[in-house]
Amino acid sequence: MSEVQKRIEENYLRAKEAYAEWGIDTDEILEKLERVSISLHCWQGDDVAGFERVSEDLTGGIQVTGNYPGKAKTPQELRADIEKALSLIPGKHRLNLHAIYAETDGEKVERNELQPKHFKNWVEWAKAQGLGLDFNPTFFSHPLSDDGFTLSHSNKEIQKFWIEHGKACRKIGEYFGKELGTPCVTNIWIPDGYKDIPVDRFGPRQRLKEALDEILQEKISPEYNLDAVESKLFGIGSESYVVGSHEFYMGYAVKNNTLLCLDAGHFHPTEVISNKISAMMNFLDEILLHVSRPVRWDSDHVVIFDDELQAIMQEIVRGDFLNRTHIALDFFDASINRIAAWVIGTRNAIKALLKAMLEPVEKLKQYELEGDFTSRLALLEEFKSYPFGAIWDYYCLKQNVPVKEAWLDEVKQYEKEVLSKRE
Ligand code: RNT
Ligand code: ZN
C-alpha cells in the first residue's frame, strides 16, 4: 500500500468514528451508495449533435455554447469518450441515449421508422461495459419540428409522424430493457410552444394529451420500459407559452401513472425541484430527475456541488425515495473539455448523494417533531463540516477511480493523445 493510500485509509477510519458517534455506519452507507446508478447523458459528449445529420443545427429552444476542440463525431469516438469518463467516476452507472444517436449504416432512416436494430451497437457495447440504457425520443433538430410544434401540431400529418416516432422509441426502450435486464426509462420531452402570446392555450394541450395517449396505448412491461414525461417553463423561441408545462404533465403523469421528469432548469429561477419531490411522491410510484444547473435561464451548465444539488439529494435520502427515483443528468457545455464536464458533474451528483446519506436523519426528524428547532438547526449546521471528504476519498479509492483531482491528469492525457488528434 502506498503512503497516499495509507493516509486515505487512516483519514477514513477517523471520519468513520466521528459519524459512528451519531449512529451512522459509513461502511454500510458506502455499500448502499455503490448500488445507486446515475444515468449519464450521452449528449454532453458531442453537443447534442447525434449521428443523423438531417439538420445541422440544434433546435427546440435548447442551446450549447462553446467550441472546445475534440468533440466526438462518430459512435466509436463517443463511446470511447464515455468509457474514459466512466473510468474516472466511482460506481456502476447507466447511459442515457437520444434517438438521434441511432446507427443506420449510412442509410437514411426516418425517425418514425427507427427500430431496435439501429441501436444494436449501443446494446452490445452496454453489455460489455455492464451498463443499463435509458432513452429519449428526439422531437427537435428536424425539418418537421422547425415551426416549433411536434406532438401538439395542428397539422395531422406532422403530428402523426411524431406520434409514430414516440411509439418507435418505446419499442427501442423495451428492447434495451429486455437485452440488459434493467428497465429503460424512456423520457418524452417536446419543445412545442409559442414565442409570443397565444390566443388558444387549450387547443395545443388537448392535442398533446391525445398524442401522448396514442403513444402510450401499447402496454409494455415495466420490467423493460418505464415512460416519463418532462415539463418545461420556457425555451428560446417559446418564451410566452410552452404546451408541455408543469401543470400539464403533472396532471398527465398522475392520471396515467407515468413517471414525471423534473428538470432542475425548467422552472422559475427561484423555484426548486428539491421542494417538489416530496409532493409528487404522494401521487406517483416513481419519478425521473434531470439534474442540471440553470444560470439565469435553462442554460444547462455543468452540475456543481451547490445548495440545490445537495437539497435534491437530501430530499431523496430523507424521504427514503432512492428506489423510486431515477437520477439522470442533463447538461451540455462545449466551452470546456467535454469529458471533464461529465466527470465533474457526475462526481458531484454522487458526492452530494453521499453527503446526504451521512446525515443523522432520524435524530433530526425527532428534533423537528419535538419542536426543538434550535437543535435541528445546530446539528444541520455542524454536520456541514463533518469530514465527509474523507469518506468520499475512501470510496473513490475502493472503487479504483482517481482520488480527488487526480482524475484531471488522466483527462489531460487523453486530450493530448486522443482528442487533439481529432479534426
Ligand atoms: C430540454 C430538456 C431535455 C433535453 C435533452 C437533450 O430543455 O431538458 O431533457 O435537455 O432531451
Ligand atoms: Zn431535461
Side-chain angles (χ1 to χ4, degrees), residues 58-319:
L58 173 62
T59 69
I62 52 180
Q63 205 161 76
V64 185
T65 52
N67 55 359
Y68 200 87
K71 88 167 172 194
K73 292 205 186 69
T74 64
Q76 292 70 29
E77 287 176 351
L78 186 57
R79 285 192 276 267
D81 291 358
I82 296 165
E83 281 179 37
K84 186 75 222 175
L86 286 171
S87 75
L88 307 173
I89 296 165
K92 275 262 156 237
H93 302 287
R94 308 172 62 80
L95 184 75
N96 205 357
L97 282 171
H98 239 285
I100 45 172
Y101 291 83
E103 288 170 79
T104 59
D105 261 333
E107 194 196 330
K108 184 172 158 61
V109 179
E110 284 297 346
R111 288 195 200 165
N112 60 341
E113 279 159 6
L114 282 172
Q115 290 172 42
K117 69 173 182 197
H118 301 124
F119 290 87
K120 191 169 165 284
N121 292 347
W122 281 111
V123 166
E124 295 308 314
W125 173 80
K127 273 184 194 163
Q129 301 289 319
L131 297 169
L133 288 178
D134 295 312
F135 201 47
N136 303 261
T138 311
F139 293 101
F140 51 83
S141 301
H142 189 279
L144 289 182
S145 70
D146 273 353
D147 63 3
F149 287 85
T150 62
L151 289 180
S152 71
H153 211 291
S154 56
N155 175 316
K156 285 268 169 243
E157 278 307 302
I158 296 177
Q159 187 193 34
K160 184 165 161 263
F161 173 84
W162 290 115
I163 290 173
E164 287 170 1
H165 177 53
K167 288 184 178 175
C169 286
R170 291 182 75 225
K171 298 305 281 182
I172 294 164
E174 179 185 37
Y175 159 72
F176 288 172
K178 273 190 186 158
E179 290 289 322
L180 300 169
T182 163
C184 166
V185 178
T186 300
N187 175 52
I188 295 180
W189 172 74
I190 61 164
D192 301 28
Y194 284 117
K195 179 183 179 76
D196 223 326
I197 306 156
V199 174
D200 183 8
R201 287 169 186 270
F202 188 50
R205 289 182 172 144
Q206 275 182 303
R207 291 194 288 274
L208 175 56
K209 181 185 170 293
E210 283 161 18
L212 291 170
D213 287 349
E214 211 177 315
I215 291 173
L216 301 177
Q217 203 172 28
E218 183 185 340
K219 289 275 161 280
I220 296 180
S221 166
E223 210 187 312
Y224 306 131
N225 183 71
L226 298 165
D227 302 295
V229 288
E230 178 180 6
S231 70
K232 191 163 178 171
L233 178 69
F234 83 96
I236 297 172
S238 61
E239 290 87 352
S240 301
Y241 169 78
V242 162
V243 183
S245 60
H246 179 51
E247 291 73 13
F248 177 89
Y249 280 125
M250 188 168 81
Y252 195 88
V254 169
K255 184 157 183 201
N256 298 284
N257 201 27
T258 68
L259 277 67
L260 182 70
C261 174
L262 298 170
D263 182 310
H266 289 192
F267 297 88
H268 287 280
T270 58
E271 194 179 353
V272 285
I273 64 167
S274 53
N275 191 32
K276 298 180 189 297
I277 297 169
S278 56
M280 294 322 305
M281 284 302 188
N282 286 286
F283 306 102
L284 294 172
D285 295 337
E286 296 179 22
I287 59 167
L288 169 65
L289 300 180
H290 271 188
V291 180
S292 186
R293 179 166 55 107
V295 178
R296 304 191 192 282
W297 67 289
D298 182 33
S299 57
D300 293 289
H301 277 63
V302 176
V303 166
I304 60 170
F305 197 78
D306 59 7
D307 286 350
E308 173 59 3
L309 179 68
Q310 292 184 61
I312 290 169
M313 298 308 176
Q314 284 163 349
E315 281 303 309
I316 299 173
V317 172
R318 292 176 188 173

Side-chain angles (χ1 to χ4, degrees), residues 15-62:
K16 182 182 152 123
E17 273 173 33
Y19 284 105
E21 282 185 35
W22 284 95
I24 299 164
D25 184 336
T26 53
D27 291 333
E28 210 175 86
I29 284 166
L30 291 184
E31 273 171 39
K32 211 170 156 191
L33 185 64
E34 201 184 325
R35 292 193 295 270
V36 181
S37 293
I38 307 278
S39 192
L40 210 77
H41 52 316
C42 76
W43 52 91
Q44 164 58 52
D46 72 341
D47 314 341
V48 210
F51 311 123
E52 188 189 43
R53 310 269 143 77
V54 295
S55 151
E56 284 300 305
D57 300 321
L58 173 62
T59 69
I62 52 180

